[in-house]
Amino acid sequence: MIELHYWPTPNGHKVTMFLEEAGLKYEIVPVDIGRGEQFRPEFLKIAPNNRMPAIVDREPADGGAPVSVFESGAILLYLAEKVGRFIPSDVRGRVEVLQWLFWQMGGLGPMAGQNHHFSQYAPEKLPYAIDRYVNETNRLYGVLDQRLDDRPFVAGEDYSIADMASYPWIVPYERQGQRLEDFPNLKRWFEAVRDRPATIRAYEAGERYRRRDATVDEESRKVLFGQTAASLRRG
């Protein structure tokens, strides 16, 4: 059983996509990030960066004590190695998956996240910041579109954790100021991943936690965007 500490964000969806694809049994422990639940002491024990998702594997491969993992990319890699799927075993295939997994973690996710922040959540609209991150998101879409020109999936012929990592960050493309029609290879790939039964189940699993009436007010803005080292000490 995998204990998944989760909220329906792009990084949270990555892990449910994997769990549904692999058919692993899991239990969701919701972490409402808008209400500051990521600062609870019990959560910080498994996720010291006070970010979800995080998992606790109650049945690790070595048969020992439960294993906790934080950071969505590390979780995907851990789970892929646990089940022996969605990452190749040969050196060259493994490198292809890992470099695109890290590309998402170091590029697409952070840049799209800043795009969301300055265009959607910042109390003051700063044209320079908005243009900077919308343009960088556009560049990264272009990188992915070129990558997919001659292969069905990000790392090659087979669906992998590289696809699961990137897909949720493309889902809000309209909010990011992008048009999928401008990226035909990316659009084809996006629709193929979107229509996978496991992807559908993963997003359905998150619907029960999504607050449709949620708004980013001053209080929640402080929780989400006003964190300092003192926030951890308070937790």
Side-chain angles (χ1 to χ4, degrees):
M1 173 67 74
I2 301 295
E3 179 183 293
L4 171 60
H5 296 257
Y6 165 93
W7 202 243
T9 69
N11 287 333
H13 291 312
K14 293 178 190 177
V15 183
T16 50
M17 286 174 67
F18 184 99
L19 293 168
E20 291 292 342
E21 286 283 353
L24 286 173
K25 293 182 179 179
Y26 67 98
E27 175 185 8
I28 288 178
V29 179
V31 181
D32 189 335
I33 58 177
R35 293 175 177 168
E37 293 181 359
Q38 65 272 36
F39 297 107
R40 295 178 302 187
E42 60 270 28
F43 181 66
L44 291 173
K45 288 180 180 179
I46 62 172
N49 194 38
N50 61 274
R51 295 287 190 272
M52 63 97 250
I55 65 167
V56 179
D57 184 358
R58 299 294 182 188
E59 298 177 348
D62 64 4
V67 173
S68 63
V69 188
F70 71 99
E71 287 294 327
S72 59
I75 294 169
L76 289 177
L77 181 56
Y78 174 85
L79 292 173
E81 292 179 337
K82 175 183 175 69
V83 302
R85 296 173 61 194
F86 306 113
I87 185 169
S89 57
D90 66 286
V91 171
R92 297 176 189 276
R94 183 178 174 84
V95 166
E96 289 294 324
V97 169
L98 290 179
Q99 64 186 355
W100 286 97
L101 173 64
F102 294 161
W103 173 84
Q104 185 281 312
M105 294 294 296
L108 179 61
M111 295 301 102
Q114 293 298 325
N115 181 327
H116 296 169
H117 177 78
F118 285 105
S119 63
Q120 304 290 326
Y121 302 121
E124 180 182 357
K125 300 304 179 186
L126 302 173
Y128 176 85
I130 293 171
D131 289 345
R132 159 77 177 109
Y133 290 110
V134 168
N135 289 340
E136 179 61 7
T137 302
N138 184 267
R139 186 190 72 82
L140 291 164
Y141 274 46
V143 170
L144 193 53
D145 186 68
Q146 289 181 11
R147 173 66 178 176
L148 291 163
D149 180 56
D150 61 352
R151 68 202 76 210
F153 297 110
V154 174
E157 294 298 317
D158 297 322
Y159 187 62
S160 75
I161 56 175
D163 302 287
M164 299 177 204
S166 289
Y167 172 81
W169 283 100
I170 304 296
V171 170
Y173 62 88
E174 291 180 330
R175 292 174 60 199
Q176 296 167 9
Q178 310 301 320
R179 287 171 17 100
L180 289 190
E181 290 73 18
D182 296 334
F183 306 97
N185 302 313
L186 174 57
K187 184 175 186 293
R188 181 261 308 157
W189 165 86
F190 177 85
E191 291 172 349
V193 177
R194 180 196 63 194
D195 294 341
R196 293 176 72 90
T199 303
I200 294 169
R201 292 195 301 270
Y203 275 78
E204 287 175 347
E207 278 299 301
R208 74 193 72 172
Y209 304 105
R210 188 167 65 87
R211 295 205 310 270
R212 290 166 178 77
D213 60 344
T215 57
V216 179
D217 55 20
E218 192 61 32
E219 189 61 32
S220 60
R221 186 176 285 111
K222 289 179 181 178
V223 171
L224 291 168
F225 311 126
Q227 302 165 8
T228 64
S231 305
L232 298 177
R233 291 194 289 270
R234 288 196 299 270

